[in-house]
Each structure stands twice: as structure tokens, then as C-alpha cells.
Amino acid sequence: MIEHGPTPKDFRQALLDSDDSLLVLRPPQAAARPAPGQPGVVSDYVPALPDIFIAVRGDGRVLAFNGHVDLGTGIRTALGQLVAEELDAELGRVSVMLGHTEAAPNQGPTIASSTIQISAMPLRRAAAQARAWLLARAAQRLGVAEDAVAVEDGAFFCPAEPGRRLGYAELLAGERVRLEVAAEFPLKPASAHKLIGRSMPRVDIPAKATGALTFVHDMRLPGMLHGRVVRPPYAGIDCGDFVGRSLVKVDRDSIRGLPGLVDVVVIGDFVGVVAEREEQAIAAMKALKVEWRLPPLPPLDDVEAAIRAIPAVHRPLREEGDTDAALAAAPAVLARSYVWPYQMHGSIGPSCALADYRDGGLTVWSGTQNPHMLRVDLARLLQMGEGGIEVVRMEAAGCYGRNCADDVVADAALLSRAVGRPVRVQLSREQEHAWEPKGAGQLMDVKGAVDAAGNLAAYDFVARYPSNDAPLLALLLTGALDPAPRMLEMGDRTAVPPYAYPNMRIACDDVPAIVRAGWLRGVSALPNSFAHDSFIDELAVAAGADRVEFRLRHLPDSRAADLLRAVAEQAGWQPGCRGSRGTPDADGLLRGRAASYARYVHSKFPGFGAAWSAWIIDLAVDPASGAVTVERLVVGQDTGMMVNPDGVRHQIHGNVLQTLSRMLKEEVRFADGRVAALEWGAYPILGFAEVPPVEVLLMPRQDEPPLGAGESASVPGAAAVANALFDATGLRFRRPPFTRARIREALAGVCDVVG
């Protein structure tokens, strides 16, 4: 049994009151807010003690604190590199604490690949400011000018007297110094970097590889009980008058004789059981007789029809030139619709959490990627102040977007409050698949044309993205939050194409969610870019132009053009190249090659860009089975300054594999208006045997600001696959996933594609 006791609730106080010498860098105290440009629940809670970014200790250790969490992206290592670089210390001196609400500042949710690009900057400035203070103190003690002092692994000295070194202990000399982090502070130039830009082993991997790491699923607390929940039958739906009001009766007597049963907890549509042992809680969950009232739900079998039927609010985003006149004057106009399916995060481990509610306070252990945002939701659910809630962020099953990690925390909190003891709750696979917030289905309607000279003439684009950001499920089930449909303006990410259309009209038809939906890697940008780059591929073919040259001709961003050229060169792209286009090669396979480009532009419109990315893919299609094999894939990325190049490379690999899985396999099925894909057989994902060779090209841009790398390489991937399928089969595919069955049907002429 792995036991994990509570972390000290007064973490900051314990740090500030320690007997050790200490240099603390803290931000100006103000109401907690998400980082600039990031969505998330805004809190007016201000901790009694100030946030801390950096603590330099007299024993030589450096503590660094960041409000984001590591979802397998390696940011713990990269943030440590940034701090160690600015301090001129070895990486091993730096410990990075992420997400813990009692220690880390509120920097908003861990989304949009923004940690290094945005939220690391205060930490980096704090480290640089700490070094400057220590350097000034060292110069004073050594009796020399500051520019005569050198620094090496936390030791300050004059090169003329290398034996006389002052470490943190000597410089602090028992003092407890507290500095306020400056809004701006000089950082090291790239030419002076020793750690930034070096590939470093991730600090979290050894414990994971050896089984030493305690995941939240492994945790046990003294006196802990086990809980399970019984979800309503409206699986995956979280808006409508019936949500929170559908429970008719719970027959407590149906499980009264089961061994180990402690309690049955019922609040609105929230139903949970608590038992002494896990298997007892599972048995009670399965045996409990519950009667529900459920109205008929609208059909969701046809995702396009369901999304088109939602009343929308039209929101113009950008208009340039006279799009209608340009389309009317064009030799030919293409009108296309692209339909994106609902998809899952597909976390391999079902969500799990522990909660300990006692003495009017609550401590939870969670795999959340939004600790401070979760604290706000728990305060609302339990009607208590945020100051009484501690969220301890633990490693858990990966998601890269919102799975059920937050929801299961609320389940555990409600059950712990009811029984007055710590409670661990783990969802079943069926519950995770049914209730995790899905990546939303999406529609993109496009009209466009080239002029008589074969250049881009006009582009008319409208997107529909029905996401409600998935409010905490317990808030809805207990009636604490109105289940009325909610509409978020999040369909506009990367809605403006990267190509120079002289006449352009871009808009969103904002719609509320019809299925519980939240963030999934790439959010609405991936489907929007799928439409943009699939469409320009059609225009290039219609213009009789080389597909890479045509993109470059209309790509005004010089860094984007440099990247696409570099990827094309590495992939050996030949002008005018074309694939089988429906005529099999000698081995009976259809082969295609395609290019795609995108930059992930995220956050509130017009947003700001993360990394640039481009793909060139070579694939083969077996016309008999419909099977797709990726034979070669070159992916390039311009991330600006890379803190850990291997970390960026690993993120690109992860983007590629997930995107291929989403394009070739993944789609949520519905039945009677509810999620029907409740196990892996109904929701297949890419397997190890299907992993293709991937070549990664990283642009050398160390003098440029760092950009988000966690999602960018996924964004052009969908169009790359679709365009290569056209080059192989001569048919256009506009409705992922491109499964074997759909490819066979397309080749047989029985599905909705255009040759």
C-alpha cells in the first residue's frame, strides 16, 4: 500500500518561517487572475500570504513555483532549466513545484501551450532578479565591481581569486530577504545561454520508468474509505431542464445487506456510495437500484445535421475587400463543407481523486490541469471559502485537455463531507468514456476562388463550434448550477487563414453545446486549419499549380515560408509531383503525397500565435481493405527559442501520433441522443504497430522569444492526411475519421466525397 499524507496547508508560512537563510522573490499582491490571454474562472480570493516565484535557500537549494502543471509535456524540466540558467546554477539545485494551490501562484489553467510562452516569464524574471541581488552582494563582500564577479553553479567569485568563492549561505548570512518581482527585468541573451537550448533528460522520467512515482491512483490515506458514483442515464449530456432533476427514487434497501457499506449519498441527480473497501464500493454501485425519469433526447447520429439545427449567433471576425464581388467575378467558385466529429481524450486510466473534508476545510489530491480553477468550483459546490480548500496536484492519466479529472474530485469531496472521513473515488471505464468532456464536433463552410491568372481571389469562411467548456459535473447534478445551454466564443481559433486572400470574409456562428464538450488538443484551431489547408489544396489543383509553390506564393509570413521550404527540402519535394490519383501502383497500392501548413492562433480573438508547423506526408492506401499506411512523415516546427530541444521534439511526436489516431480512427458514436462509445472496442485508437517513421525538423531560432510547442504540430496534420488521400485516390475526404470502411466506400462511390 502506498501512503501519501497531506502536504502542509500552511506551506508558504512554513517556508517563510523556516530557520534557514532565504531570498524570496514574490509578485505584487493582487487579486488572483489567469495569465493574460488565457480563459478560466476568475477568482477574487487573495491568499493571506503572498505568492512566491523563487526561494533561494542558504543550503544551496532553489525552489521555483509555477501555477501550471506538467501533463507529460516536460515543463517541470524546462522551467527548471530557465531558473537555473538565469541563476547560473546547475539544474540539480532547482526543484520546481507545480499547481499546488498552497504553494504556486494562480496563473490560470494549463492550456493553449502557454506555459513557456507566457507563464514562465515571471519565474524567469524572478530568477534573473535574484541573481542580480546575489551578484551585487557578492561584489560588495569581495570588494570589487559587479562586472568583475563571475558565477558558477551558485558560487560567486573573482576569476583572479578562484579559490575565494561565496555561496548562497555566505551571501545571505542568516538573512531573510524578500523582494518584489519587477514587471520588467533584463534576461540573459541567447549568446550567453549554457542550459537553455540544451537537450536535458526529463526529471520526471526515472521515477515513472521505475515505478517509484506515486500517481493519484496509487495514493492511500489513513482511515480512507472508497467511493463510487452512479451516473444518470443521459450519458454525456449536461444541458437541459432534466439535468439535475431526473432522479425519481433510490432504493437504499437494495444494498443494505452488502458488507462494508458505509453510506449512500443522494443530492439531486448526484448518487454515490461509500464502503470500507474498493471492491465493496464497486459491488454497491452495481447493485444499487435507482429509478430515473428521462425525456427523449434529440438524435445525434448525424453530427452535421445536429449542429446545423442549433440556433446560432452570427459573429463577424474579419472582412477585407469585397468578397461577394470577387466571387461573382471569378471563373469558377468552389463551395465546400467540412465536418469534424466528436472525439474523446481517451485517457488510458479512468480519472481518480481523493478528498479529505474535516474541521470545515477540504484537501483534495487530483490529476487536474486547472488547480486554482478547480478550487473556485469546489468552493461554489460546497459553499465554503477558497481559503479553506487545498488542491494538491498529483500525476495522473494524461489528457491534453479536460477529461473527468476535475469531476471525480467533486465526487470525492461530496462523499467525504457526507461521511466525515477521507474518500477515494475512481471512475469506471464506461463512466470516463461517457462523461468526459468531448472534443466538440465542428462545421466549417467555405467558398473560395482563384482569379484568371491562377492567384487567390476570395475566401468566405464560417465555423460552428458547440462547446460549453464543460462546467463541473457535480455543480449541475446537485442543482448548484443552472443547466441552461451555455455558449462560449471559442470557435474562432485560427479562423483566419494564413494565406493572402485579397478578398476575405471570416465569421463564427456561435452555438451552445449539445454534448458535454471542452478542450481537446488543438481545440477549434485544428478543424479550422483542416478546412483552410484542404481548401487551398483544392485551389492549387484547380489552378494547375504545384501544391507547395502555390502555398508559398500566397504565404506572406516569412517565417512560415522559411519553414515550409525547409520541410519541403528535407522531404525531397519535387515541383509538380503527384501520386496515384486512383490508379494503383505495380504493387496494387494507391500512393499519395501532400503538404500542409498552419500556425496555432489561440485565445480570445484575434488571439496570438504559438509555434509554426508544417507537414509533408507520404502514405499508401490498400484499395481492397481501405487500410492507410504512413510511409514517411516530415514535420517541421519553428518554436522560437527552445528551452529543451528534446522536449520540443517529443511534443511533436506526441502531436503526430495523436493527430493520426484522430484522423484515421477516432469518432464518438451516439445512440438515442447519448454517448454510446463506452469501451475501447467502440472507440479504437492508434496502436503501437501503426506508429510511422517521423522525421522532425526544428528551425534554429534561439534569438527569438519562445512559443508554445504542445499543440502546434497537431494543427496542420488533419489537412496533410486528407490532401495525401486525395493524391492517392483522386477523391476529396472532408469528414474525418478516414476509417478503412469509409475509404472503401469512397472508392466504391457510395459515400459523400468529390473526385
Side-chain angles (χ1 to χ4, degrees):
M1 180 175 75
I2 298 174
E3 293 195 3
H4 195 296
T7 54
K9 199 154 179 52
D10 299 323
F11 182 91
R12 293 176 205 173
Q13 190 71 64
L15 177 62
L16 294 171
D17 289 347
S18 66
D19 294 332
D20 193 12
S21 302
L22 194 66
L23 170 60
V24 171
L25 278 292
R26 60 193 189 186
Q29 193 67 343
R33 292 289 185 268
Q38 297 306 305
V41 175
V42 173
S43 170
D44 59 6
Y45 168 67
V46 178
L49 294 171
D51 288 327
I52 299 171
F53 284 134
I54 294 286
V56 179
R57 310 191 71 152
D59 62 4
R61 290 180 295 155
V62 178
L63 306 179
F65 305 90
N66 188 275
H68 285 193
V69 303
D70 195 333
L71 300 168
T73 58
I75 67 164
R76 188 185 300 275
T77 306
L79 291 173
Q81 284 179 256
L82 288 170
V83 171
E85 181 70 75
E86 296 296 344
L87 280 171
D88 276 318
E90 290 296 321
L91 181 58
R93 285 186 181 273
V94 180
S95 297
V96 181
M97 182 173 286
L98 302 174
H100 182 183
T101 56
E102 294 305 304
N106 181 3
Q107 295 175 288
T110 310
I111 58 172
S113 304
S114 64
T115 301
I116 300 299
Q117 185 171 357
I118 300 173
S119 300
M121 292 309 294
L123 190 62
R124 194 177 173 193
R125 284 195 293 267
Q129 195 172 341
R131 180 189 182 277
W133 187 93
L134 291 163
L135 182 69
R137 174 63 63 89
Q140 181 186 40
R141 296 282 173 85
L142 294 170
V144 297
E146 290 184 20
D147 59 7
V149 179
V151 190
E152 185 177 80
D153 189 19
F156 296 74
F157 62 96
C158 291
E161 296 182 81
R164 188 185 176 197
R165 295 177 174 239
L166 300 177
Y168 299 149
E170 293 86 354
L171 293 173
L172 292 169
E175 289 186 62
R176 307 183 59 72
V177 181
R178 302 180 186 182
L179 303 178
E180 190 171 287
V181 177
E184 296 293 334
F185 201 85
L187 304 175
K188 274 189 182 182
S191 59
H193 288 166
K194 299 175 182 176
L195 292 175
I196 293 176
R198 280 180 55 192
S199 290
M200 305 288 284
R202 272 177 40 183
V203 297
D204 57 317
I205 295 298
K208 290 178 178 177
T210 60
L213 182 71
T214 300
F215 287 85
V216 68
H217 299 70
D218 303 321
M219 281 185 56
R220 302 294 184 268
L221 296 173
M224 185 184 77
L225 300 173
H226 292 268
R228 284 294 189 273
V229 291
V230 179
R231 294 294 194 220
Y234 41 89
I237 311 299
D238 67 349
C239 57
D241 291 342
F242 55 89
V243 175
R245 304 179 179 92
S246 294
L247 182 63
V248 176
K249 182 176 65 176
V250 174
D251 184 1
R252 298 171 185 266
D253 290 337
S254 62
I255 60 172
R256 192 173 299 279
L258 291 184
L261 181 67
V262 174
D263 201 0
V264 178
V265 180
V266 180
I267 311 171
D269 279 2
F270 175 83
V271 180
V273 297
V274 183
E276 294 286 347
R277 297 177 57 84
E278 185 171 19
E279 72 274 14
Q280 295 167 340
I282 294 172
M285 173 191 70
K286 292 179 177 179
L288 183 66
K289 293 182 179 179
V290 183
E291 183 180 343
W292 301 92
R293 180 193 312 109
L294 181 64
L297 298 173
L300 294 170
D301 306 77
D302 185 337
V303 169
E304 180 180 9
I307 296 178
R308 288 199 188 280
I310 311 170
V313 175
H314 189 71
R315 178 165 54 104
L317 300 176
R318 182 175 295 180
E319 186 156 2
E320 298 174 1
D322 189 335
T323 303
D324 290 331
L327 289 173
V333 174
L334 299 183
R336 303 290 184 252
S337 292
Y338 300 88
V339 183
W340 194 266
Y342 281 91
Q343 295 180 320
M344 291 185 190
H345 299 88
S347 299
I348 298 299
S351 294
C352 178
L354 288 82
D356 189 4
Y357 184 100
R358 65 177 72 189
D359 302 325
L362 173 69
T363 300
V364 298
W365 292 262
S366 169
T368 179
Q369 69 182 71
N370 314 302
H372 294 85
M373 200 163 126
L374 175 60
R375 182 174 62 184
V376 176
D377 283 338
L378 291 173
R380 184 175 186 179
L381 176 69
L382 301 172
Q383 295 297 296
M384 60 189 298
E386 287 183 60
I389 300 173
E390 177 185 18
V391 179
V392 183
R393 206 279 169 173
M394 302 288 294
E395 293 276 8
C399 59
Y400 221 104
R402 170 91 151 77
N403 61 2
C404 286
D406 289 14
D407 301 306
V408 76
V409 172
D411 298 336
L414 289 173
L415 297 179
S416 178
R417 183 180 66 174
V419 299
R421 289 171 61 182
V423 175
R424 175 187 182 273
V425 179
Q426 180 172 311
L427 300 183
S428 68
R429 167 54 53 196
E430 293 78 10
Q431 289 170 338
E432 182 76 31
H433 269 18
W435 287 98
E436 62 134 80
K438 306 298 181 289
Q442 191 166 330
L443 303 182
M444 291 73 60
D445 292 325
V446 185
K447 288 183 181 179
V450 294
D451 60 22
N455 296 312
L456 295 181
Y459 195 68
D460 192 353
F461 176 90
V462 181
R464 284 187 171 220
Y465 174 74
S467 171
N468 61 357
D469 208 19
L472 194 70
L473 190 56
L475 286 170
L476 296 163
L477 297 182
T478 62
L481 182 65
D482 185 357
R486 299 172 71 244
M487 183 165 61
L488 293 184
E489 297 179 349
M490 289 185 67
D492 53 26
R493 295 192 175 196
T494 321
V496 177
Y499 303 105
Y501 293 89
N503 303 282
M504 179 170 60
R505 181 167 53 218
I506 311 297
C508 272
D509 281 345
D510 293 318
V511 291
I514 50 178
V515 174
R516 190 169 195 237
W519 309 316
L520 178 57
R521 197 175 215 157
V523 197
S524 58
L526 200 163
N528 283 339
S529 291
F530 166 56
H532 295 326
D533 228 73
S534 294
F535 194 79
I536 200 169
D537 204 71
E538 289 203 49
L539 292 179
V541 172
D546 176 76
R547 291 165 289 158
V548 168
E549 184 277 330
F550 191 78
R551 285 172 170 81
L552 289 170
R553 194 194 323 163
H554 298 98
L555 198 54
D557 185 330
S558 60
R559 285 177 68 171
D562 288 347
L563 173 66
L564 184 54
R565 287 191 193 95
V567 172
E569 182 179 353
Q570 179 160 325
W573 182 275
Q574 296 298 316
C577 71
R578 56 178 290 164
S580 303
R581 304 281 173 99
T583 302
D585 291 350
D587 59 3
L589 299 179
L590 302 168
R591 285 185 169 82
R593 164 170 259 210
S596 64
Y597 159 77
R599 186 184 186 193
Y600 182 27
V601 179
H602 58 81
S603 295
K604 187 173 180 61
F605 189 84
F608 52 93
W612 292 260
S613 186
W615 287 37
I616 289 184
I617 188 171
D618 293 271
L619 56 75
V621 178
D622 182 342
S625 67
V628 174
T629 302
V630 177
E631 296 185 324
R632 187 184 181 194
L633 178 55
V634 179
V635 181
Q637 188 156 296
D638 181 344
T639 317
M641 185 191 82
M642 293 178 285
V643 180
N644 186 345
D646 271 356
V648 174
R649 189 174 288 107
H650 298 158
Q651 283 306 292
I652 292 172
H653 281 139
N655 274 278
V656 166
L657 298 183
Q658 187 181 34
T659 301
L660 290 176
S661 185
R662 292 171 70 180
M663 293 307 296
L664 299 176
K665 292 176 177 287
E666 299 185 33
E667 180 178 22
V668 175
R669 300 289 184 177
F670 299 92
D672 301 321
R674 292 172 283 181
V675 175
L678 302 180
E679 34 74 37
W680 290 117
Y683 194 81
I685 60 176
L686 199 73
F688 286 111
E690 299 167 291
V691 173
V694 180
E695 301 172 40
V696 175
L697 182 152
L698 300 176
M699 297 295 280
R701 302 282 193 186
Q702 289 303 104
D703 289 323
E704 299 288 346
L707 298 170
E711 296 173 84
S712 292
S714 69
V715 178
V721 176
N723 295 339
L725 282 174
F726 162 75
D727 198 42
T729 66
L731 303 172
R732 289 288 178 183
F733 291 80
R734 305 189 186 97
R735 296 170 178 253
F738 309 134
T739 62
R740 293 185 178 198
R742 287 183 178 172
I743 291 174
R744 288 198 308 270
E745 290 172 359
L747 292 171
V750 296
C751 80
D752 184 20
V753 294
V754 177

